[in-house]
Each structure stands twice: as structure tokens, then as C-alpha cells.
Amino acid sequence: GKKISGYGRATHPKVFVKMSSALDQTEAAFQKQGKVIVNGAQGKKISGYGKKGARYVKNIGLSFKVPKNAIDGKYVDKKCPFTGNVSIRGRIIKGLVISTKMKRTIIIRRDYLQYVKKYRRYEKRHKNIPAHVSPAFTVKEGDVVTIGQCRPLSKTVRFNVLDVEEATNTTTSVKKQFRMF
């Protein structure tokens, strides 16, 4: 088989599992939380949540509860508002999830009515908003999510998922439905 050395870039997938059983290692680079010392200071409590202070978790405020999976989970996500380096400020809005095809990013549809003065009537319009979704949440198409504005996370993403309401009816397609909140 292949020779696995302890130095340099690891080429074998089993190396990541041996490095740290406390955190999920699915990427090529070693994933760790910035505010947690991985192999030292086990006795120190770094956060009010988690077991033995091995995980950095924060309460984002605005009466949003920290998900149980954020406290007990083993994922590493620097863009997560609960375990990463992102603060929520600005707008907080609700929308319908229409796509979950990207990795840790979803598309949310926001429907609204625009008044047309000439005809004295309203027309239906919509906006699609990309939002980052933390691994603490399990989101599927049709769910209603609450998203909060944060700093730019990528070229198009400026929002982060804060809460998920499960879909009630999953029989109809949600792609082009007009639904206001």
C-alpha cells in the first residue's frame, strides 16, 4: 500500500480520522475552530456550552436559541453564526427554501406585491436570496427559514440561516408558488 508519513500534506483519507476525533474532518485541510486549542488545555472551559470546553459556541442574541446540534455537534464551520466568526446585524427576514443543491448554501424565495399606480393594482414579484446554512440545521425544499443579515460571506451570500420551520405539505412543488409571510 501507500506509505503515510506524519509530515507534509496527507494523501490518505484515514489520516484525517486519526488526527482529531473531536472534530469532523472531511476537507483536505485540517479543520479546527479558531478559538479552541485542539490538543491542549483540555481542562480549561472556553465556552459556556459544550463538554469540557472543547467547542466554541456563542449565543447570537435577538431571542434566537442556539441549536442543540451546534452545542453537541462535531462540525467545523467558520461561517456559522453560532460556532464561527460571523455576527448577525441588519435585517432579519423569512423566506421559502427553493433550492438546497449547493454545499452549505440555500436559495430562498421572497414574494411581495408591488403597487402599480397607473392601473391602481398590485403585481406579484419575487426575489431569490442565497443564504449560508450551518450544518447545525437540516433544511429541505419547502421549509420556511428565518435568515439574518451578516457581513459578505462570498460574492453573493450576505445572509445566514437562524431558524428553520419544517414544511407542512410536501405534495406540491414549491418552485413557483406565490407565498407571503
Side-chain angles (χ1 to χ4, degrees), residues 11 44 47 54 72 79 81 85 91 102 109 127 144 150:
T11 56
K44 285 187 179 173
S47 103
D72 300 335
K79 296 177 182 178
N85 185 23
R91 292 174 180 249
M102 290 179 276
R109 182 182 170 106
K127 286 273 189 282
V144 175
C150 57

Side-chain angles (χ1 to χ4, degrees), residues 12-176:
H12 198 271
K14 289 185 180 176
V15 173
F16 301 122
V17 179
K18 291 178 184 175
M19 284 176 135
S20 173
S21 61
L23 304 169
D24 281 344
Q25 299 299 327
T26 56
E27 305 294 326
F30 180 71
Q31 301 293 303
K32 67 183 183 74
Q33 287 185 309
K35 296 182 171 77
V36 176
I37 302 151
V38 176
N39 286 329
Q42 271 99 7
K44 285 187 179 173
K45 201 164 178 83
I46 295 161
S47 103
Y49 300 97
K51 295 171 188 154
K52 297 179 187 167
R55 186 157 177 79
Y56 171 76
V57 181
K58 68 178 178 183
N59 187 349
I60 60 163
L62 303 166
S63 71
F64 285 101
K65 285 190 173 177
V66 178
K68 189 163 174 43
N69 199 13
I71 300 166
D72 300 335
K74 295 183 178 180
Y75 69 89
V76 178
D77 185 13
K78 65 179 183 177
K79 296 177 182 178
C80 172
F82 304 102
T83 63
N85 185 23
V86 175
S87 60
I88 302 298
R89 79 286 191 283
R91 292 174 180 249
I92 293 173
I93 54 181
K94 276 189 173 184
L96 187 72
V97 177
I98 59 167
S99 174
T100 57
K101 293 174 183 167
M102 290 179 276
K103 183 181 177 186
R104 294 188 182 178
T105 306
I106 58 174
I107 300 293
I108 291 152
R109 182 182 170 106
R110 297 253 312 150
D111 295 314
Y112 60 96
L113 297 172
Q114 179 75 35
Y115 185 69
V116 182
K117 198 160 73 171
K118 179 181 178 181
Y119 299 110
R120 295 197 212 114
R121 282 167 174 76
Y122 291 92
E123 64 182 8
K124 293 176 182 175
R125 290 191 179 181
H126 81 278
K127 286 273 189 282
N128 287 346
I129 303 169
H132 181 268
V133 59
S134 166
F137 298 110
T138 51
V139 180
K140 56 187 183 301
E141 289 182 13
D143 290 351
V144 175
V145 294
T146 305
I147 56 175
Q149 191 178 6
C150 57
R151 64 175 168 81
L153 301 175
S154 70
K155 181 183 172 185
T156 56
V157 178
R158 275 105 177 94
F159 286 89
N160 226 314
V161 174
L162 304 176
D163 193 27
V164 178
E165 297 169 22
E166 298 292 319
T168 52
N169 59 338
T170 55
T171 54
T172 58
S173 175
V174 296
K175 290 276 186 198
K176 298 276 184 181

